[in-house]
Amino acid sequence: MTVIDILTRVDAICQKYDRYDVDKLNGANVAGDDPFARLYASVDADINQCVDKAETAKQEKNRAAVVALNAEIRRTKAKLLEEDLPKLQRLAVKKVKGLTREEIATRSDLVAALPDRIQSIPDGSSTATKKNGSWGASGSRTGGAIKFDSTADGNFDDEYFKGTEESNQFRREYEMRRMKQDEGLDVIGEGLETLKNMASDMNEELDRQVPLMDEMDDKVDRANADLKNTNVRLKETVLQLRSSRNFCIDIILLCVILGIAAYLYNVLKK
């Protein structure tokens, strides 16, 4: 086989599977008014996000973060399988202006391939990797329609959301820590109750002391008034004593002067 034959065969294969190119299909239709293209692009983006989260959870060492990521993946998968896929099924068979029968058939094939992509995303549960038939344990295709193992009301059974050992251990640790926090809060509540009782007793004691304090204030005011009156009277008394004492001193000095004068007169007279 020559190189030209190989290139020709590769080109034929590429043209044959060109209609399955998701990026090309989205790029041609998302910008328009085609609801299928918009919804399919959204579903494809959600699937890629779930794959990225699964890779992150695989490398994450924090168990709480892993459990949270797996829970988000399971919620997204449930939304895609229960809500988005039925809408895509209805839109895939709807006739759109400008689309050929081959393109409509391609859309049906793209929708048919989505359950496998969704179910292949690891989410930490044991049901995520089980396979049964063409679509695995969670779904089967009969008569060209997609059917999932859900209850009569359209919700998945409890086993789909069954927690793993890791998630159960995380829940147990969470419950233990919550119990410890509750015990600590109870101790804090008892302390606050004791403080409340002490504050109430102090308030009652202050209420009893208020009349005594008022009486003491009245007595102090009366004592201040009496002290002021006493100071005034004492000042007046001191002034009166000082005036009478000066008069006596003046008389004594006058007598002394007169005596000295009489003595000098007698001496000079002799």
Side-chain angles (χ1 to χ4, degrees):
M1 183 178 292
T2 62
V3 177
I4 297 176
D5 294 335
I6 294 174
L7 293 176
T8 303
R9 188 171 181 180
V10 169
D11 186 59
I13 293 172
C14 291
Q15 289 180 359
K16 181 179 180 181
Y17 291 98
D18 188 52
R19 61 180 181 172
Y20 295 101
D21 189 354
V22 177
D23 295 334
K24 183 176 179 180
L25 182 64
N26 293 340
N29 293 308
V30 170
D33 297 331
D34 190 356
F36 175 84
R38 290 195 298 271
L39 183 57
Y40 186 84
S42 176
V43 171
D44 187 67
D46 290 340
I47 293 174
N48 291 332
Q49 288 180 359
C50 288
V51 172
D52 294 338
K53 290 180 181 178
E55 293 295 330
T56 304
K58 192 180 296 182
Q59 298 174 0
E60 183 65 43
K61 295 182 180 179
N62 189 349
R63 290 180 295 178
V66 172
V67 172
L69 288 172
N70 288 332
E72 291 180 7
I73 293 173
R74 285 194 289 270
R75 285 195 295 269
T76 304
K77 288 172 65 175
K79 173 181 174 295
L80 293 174
L81 292 172
E82 293 181 358
E83 299 179 7
D84 295 338
L85 273 179
K87 293 180 182 178
L88 282 174
Q89 289 176 358
R90 292 192 298 269
L91 294 173
V93 297
K94 186 178 179 180
K95 292 183 179 180
V96 180
K97 185 177 180 180
L99 290 180
T100 62
R101 291 183 178 179
E102 279 192 10
E103 291 173 337
I104 295 176
T106 300
R107 291 186 170 189
S108 299
D109 293 337
L110 291 174
V111 175
L114 286 177
D116 279 337
R117 292 181 60 191
I118 297 173
Q119 292 295 338
S120 63
I121 301 173
D123 57 4
S125 62
S126 58
T127 58
T129 57
K130 291 181 181 179
K131 298 288 181 178
N132 184 13
S134 60
W135 283 358
S138 63
S140 61
R141 186 179 181 184
T142 56
I146 298 176
K147 182 180 179 182
F148 300 100
D149 295 336
S150 58
T151 58
D153 57 356
N155 296 323
F156 284 89
D157 54 10
D158 295 336
E159 189 164 339
Y160 183 81
F161 298 100
K162 186 178 180 181
T164 60
E165 180 64 26
E166 188 176 4
S167 62
N168 293 332
Q169 184 178 358
F170 173 75
R171 180 175 290 276
R172 287 194 295 270
E173 292 180 0
Y174 167 74
E175 293 294 337
M176 291 177 61
R177 293 188 180 183
R178 190 176 68 174
M179 289 175 61
K180 291 182 180 179
Q181 289 180 354
D182 291 340
E183 292 176 358
L185 292 175
D186 291 338
V187 173
I188 294 173
E190 293 176 359
L192 292 175
E193 187 68 23
T194 303
L195 291 175
K196 178 183 176 182
N197 295 332
M198 293 176 62
S200 178
D201 295 338
M202 291 174 64
N203 190 23
E204 292 178 358
E205 185 64 25
L206 289 174
D207 291 339
R208 289 195 295 270
Q209 294 294 332
V210 166
L212 298 177
M213 297 295 292
D214 293 338
E215 185 177 357
M216 290 178 64
D217 289 337
D218 294 338
K219 289 182 179 180
V220 170
D221 292 337
R222 288 196 298 269
N224 287 330
D226 294 340
L227 183 61
K228 289 180 180 179
N229 295 330
T230 303
N231 289 333
V232 171
R233 290 197 300 268
L234 181 61
K235 184 178 179 180
E236 292 176 353
T237 303
V238 169
L239 291 174
Q240 290 175 0
L241 288 173
R242 186 173 179 276
S243 299
S244 61
R245 185 177 62 182
N246 290 338
F247 178 74
C248 294
I249 292 172
D250 292 339
I251 293 175
I252 292 170
L253 290 175
L254 182 61
C255 292
V256 171
I257 292 170
L258 290 175
I260 292 171
Y263 174 75
L264 291 174
Y265 176 77
N266 292 327
V267 171
L268 293 174
K269 184 178 179 182
K270 290 178 178 182

